[in-house]
Amino acid sequence: MTDSAPLPFPAYFRYRLSRDVGGASAWFARKWRGSTLFKLVALALAILLLVWVAAWAWLARDLPDASTLTEYQTPLPTVVRGIDGEIVHSYARERRVQLQYDDFPEQLKQAYISAEDKTFYSHGGVDFTGTANAVFDYATKYGSGERAVGGSTITQQLAKILLLGDEYSVTRKLKEMILARRIEDVLSKEEILELYLNEIPLGRRSFGVQAAARAYFDEDVGDLELHEAAFLAILPKAPERYGRSQQEQAAVRRRDFVLQQMEENGYITAAERSQAAAQPLGLVQQRRERSVDAGYFLEEVRRQLIEEFGETAEDGENSVYAGGLWVRTSLDPELQEAARDALRTGLMRYHGNRGWTGPIANIDVSEGNWAGQLTSSYLGIRYEDWRVGVVTQRDGSNATIGFSNGEEAPLSGIPSGLEAGHVIAVRPSGNGYAVGNLPEVSGGFLAESVQTGRVLAMQGGFDHRLSDFNRATQAERQPGSTIKPFVYAAGLENGLTPASQVPDQTFCYYQGANLGEKCFRNFGGSSGGVRTMRWGLEQSRNLMTVHIAMEAGMPRVIDTFEKMNIGSYEPYPAFALGAGETTVMQMVNAYAALANHGRLHDPSVIDYVQDRNGNVVWRADKRRCEGCNMAEYDGSPMPRFGLQGKPVLDARTAYQVTHMLEGVVTRGTAVRLRGLELPLFGKTGTTSGPTDAWFVGGSPDIVAGLYIGHDQPRDLGGWVQGGNTAAPVFKQFVESTRDRWKAEPAIAPPGVRMVRIDRRSGKRVFDGVPSDEPNAAVIWEAFKPDTEPDRATRQDQIAARREELLDLIRAGRRGGQQQRTAATEQREDNFVEDRGGIY
């Protein structure tokens, strides 16, 4: 007998398959022919298999692709940071924080595995023992209305959360099992647990354990103690139940059960379990958060972000409410708080004793759900210890006030027009509350960095919870005399100098057949003489301003307004006195350009935006730094950014105007700011009526501006002027942030010559020492080359003295004002614009 050669593997495989399958087929055929019972069993198994295949195909036909989870991005809120890098706000409809697997403490992961899925690391997505228990529980509770236990693994719960939804049915459970098996094929156990701990809903609008740790304990997950981690692990079963105070005992029992499971699983010792079980729940009702009261600023940021990136996930991967953006803003918390308080103080000061101005809103209290209606109104106030509530009942001199938490208290100080259903502001008084008198007048305030155009603070009204209309950016108002510096800039560009003599005399202008002749006058009706350009700006003389505008040409004046981005108007002289409409932001930005040597920025509230991975996807500063990222230093000069801003005004002209505006503070209509003893410049403004009071000004680093007026413009009262109503607001702003204001004066640009002149005549002098005293005879004045004035003569001094005496006589005739001599001439800090400045 000879040995045959071994068969190749393919041939051997076909041989074995033919032999084994053939043998099995023959065996099946014999059984089928010889046994009826075998036939029935085989048919039953075949039918069962077909049903199983059909059911699987039906359930799996529309299931989402589990592989999408490999690229899944958690919908995250947008986090906003201030100028110092600290978080100041987030735009969120849900509380979410995404962490990496290694960021979760081991005890926290062990608590969830013990509570939800102790075989997590051994099963393939489905725990069949747990599923069998769930089926039995479902069968016993069928028809009772009770919800059966889930029996779902962590992988199944993840499938439900991210891919299926929370439908309560057998088919959903079967789909959940299919998806869980698929998820286990595409994700590791660590990836599954990371997604689960980031996505699980845990109550108090929090999703994921980090958000829940902040919501329930005001701590990060890394700071949680054992009993706190165990509490978080009970929340998936009933996220909206266990966090309530009335369910505390049930929560403690469930927490202790989780601790027991952790001990049985070997994660903790009996002593650790006992110590943790002895701890109270320790839930917090309100989180401690850094809170910057900057609603108007933050709403402007939100508006710009939505315009750029969209609002929801459907709008793109970097949307505001799902993209997880990190936004660095220019918000300065210290300046913002000062701006808010200063404007509120100014509004309350004007309101004085005017009394109650009416309800904030009205709601129907007859159906008894007033607390819910008040909550959904989102009205509130953050002023001292005031609150917003609704009058729940009024009976003669008695009334009660109700708050959004359902609390009620007696109300005192009841005005005659108060009725049930009125939503009002109240302040604590005795054992109850008294009606708070909110000012009816409003206004806007904005502060900006001179060198960058970054908006540092913005207050668009008394409180954004009462009205979200932003008067700093949206209210278009007549700026009055605050526009005059730009008329003077046009005059300086047209050959005038700060020492040029300008008539302070009546000016009439024919505006056409329809408008007829318009005659301009100063506030108070005074006029006469010829004065220096500087004096006209310091004293806000309307007639001198119109003369300058007509000499420069109104088209040039309007062009200057447009270049400074103040507004675009018709070339009528009235616009030289502030008759056109603009906003606080535009005026502040234009003044910042004056301080910045004529370079205009686009005002910005956002510095840059990063996506969830830290990549910068938008920035305000578009400048490129050529050579900054070279691989090796090539020995060339260090690369530098170019200058920021667009040059819109001659730097020398801008400085001349700024230098004259310093005189407005030293001896002019804003003299009440002189006591700050800082090198400030600025201009007051008061519009016809008066309907609005303005001030805009600042330092070489910070410029701020504001107006005060009614939303529907009407007379504020004859005594109201920019100097006594708006300037004090700016003064308080500076006083409360004094350490932020430098004592260094503005630096003159190249091409400016500082020359000693006689302040009254504008003539050049060669003797005498210039002084910063308000009434110094000799001052420094800024001139462009070859524009310096001639030397003063004795006759000039006599003429200047004569004009001074005539001014005193005119002032005495107008109001019996106290006479002053040249030697003792001083202005009081409560000086108002008795020399003009009103349009």
Side-chain angles (χ1 to χ4, degrees), residues 69-76 96-106 108-110 112-113 117 120-121 154-155 157-159 161-162 183-184 187-202 207-211 221 612-613:
L69 294 182
T70 61
E71 300 178 355
Y72 176 77
Q73 296 278 14
T74 299
L76 296 175
R96 291 181 181 268
V97 181
Q98 185 177 24
L99 299 180
Q100 302 299 318
Y101 178 81
D102 292 336
D103 296 329
F104 298 110
E106 284 300 319
L108 183 65
K109 290 182 281 190
Q110 294 163 358
Y112 272 90
I113 289 172
D117 188 0
F120 173 71
Y121 287 109
I154 284 177
T155 313
Q157 292 182 54
L158 185 64
I161 295 168
L162 297 183
I183 290 172
E184 293 275 349
L187 297 179
S188 67
K189 290 291 186 180
E190 289 76 13
E191 290 171 330
I192 292 171
L193 192 57
E194 177 184 313
L195 270 176
Y196 175 79
L197 293 177
N198 277 322
E199 294 293 331
I200 186 72
L202 298 174
F207 290 76
V209 294
Q210 169 62 18
V221 290
R612 67 174 68 215
N613 299 314

Side-chain angles (χ1 to χ4, degrees), residues 619-634:
R619 62 189 179 101
D621 189 349
K622 301 297 194 298
R623 293 176 299 169
R624 299 181 62 84
C625 185
E626 301 296 339
C628 286
N629 295 321
M630 64 175 63
E632 294 182 6
Y633 177 55
D634 59 3

Side-chain angles (χ1 to χ4, degrees), residues 202-224:
L202 298 174
R204 294 194 181 183
R205 293 176 47 243
S206 59
F207 290 76
V209 294
Q210 169 62 18
R214 299 298 298 178
Y216 289 98
F217 299 108
D218 197 20
E219 295 177 349
D220 295 320
V221 290
D223 300 324
L224 293 175

Side-chain angles (χ1 to χ4, degrees), residues 4-48:
S4 60
L7 291 173
F9 178 77
Y12 176 74
F13 179 77
R14 287 194 299 272
Y15 164 73
R16 290 299 303 266
L17 182 66
S18 174
R19 188 186 71 173
D20 295 344
V21 171
S25 299
W27 176 85
F28 186 83
R30 289 195 304 272
K31 289 292 185 180
W32 182 269
R33 290 191 301 268
S35 174
T36 303
L37 178 62
F38 181 82
K39 286 182 179 181
L40 294 175
V41 171
L43 286 173
L45 290 174
I47 292 172
L48 183 63

Side-chain angles (χ1 to χ4, degrees), residues 763-786:
K763 296 290 186 176
R764 187 173 187 175
V765 297
F766 293 94
D767 56 352
V769 179
S771 170
D772 293 331
E773 290 299 317
N775 301 299
V778 179
I779 63 171
W780 289 112
E781 192 59 272
F783 294 93
K784 298 171 185 174
D786 300 325

Side-chain angles (χ1 to χ4, degrees), residues 407-587:
E407 171 193 342
E408 289 187 86
L411 183 65
S412 60
I414 303 171
S416 59
L418 189 71
E419 299 176 0
H422 281 173
V423 178
I424 62 173
V426 295
R427 53 184 174 79
S429 177
N431 295 324
Y433 290 86
V435 176
N437 295 323
L438 290 172
E440 190 175 17
V441 70
S442 195
F445 187 108
L446 187 139
E448 179 180 317
S449 169
V450 169
Q451 284 76 32
T452 63
R454 301 161 82 195
V455 176
L456 305 173
M458 179 191 299
Q459 187 70 14
F462 192 86
D463 195 307
H464 72 96
R465 301 164 192 82
L466 301 175
S467 169
D468 58 6
F469 179 65
N470 191 338
R471 295 157 189 85
T473 61
Q474 296 175 297
E476 295 191 344
R477 315 293 288 219
Q478 293 180 342
S481 294
T482 58
I483 209 168
K484 289 178 180 177
F486 306 99
V487 178
Y488 280 64
L492 292 170
E493 295 275 72
N494 196 50
L496 295 176
T497 76
S500 295
Q501 299 291 308
V502 179
D504 184 28
Q505 298 168 351
T506 301
F507 184 91
C508 294
Y509 175 76
Y510 183 71
Q511 304 180 97
N514 293 330
L515 299 177
E517 187 176 58
K518 168 70 174 179
C519 288
F520 297 91
R521 66 182 181 86
N522 288 318
F523 176 59
S526 65
S527 64
V530 176
R531 297 302 185 97
T532 64
M533 192 177 184
R534 165 180 283 278
W535 186 87
L537 185 57
E538 290 177 351
Q539 304 304 324
S540 198
R541 303 295 280 183
N542 288 349
L543 295 177
M544 295 179 69
T545 304
V546 174
H547 276 286
I548 292 169
M550 299 309 291
E551 182 171 338
M554 279 304 301
R556 288 193 180 93
V557 172
I558 297 301
D559 182 60
T560 301
F561 294 165
E562 291 177 353
K563 288 191 299 183
M564 305 302 294
N565 198 30
I566 294 172
S568 181
Y569 316 113
E570 296 296 325
Y572 296 132
F575 292 110
L577 299 178
E581 293 182 337
T582 187
T583 66
V584 173
M585 175 178 276
Q586 288 171 294
M587 290 303 297

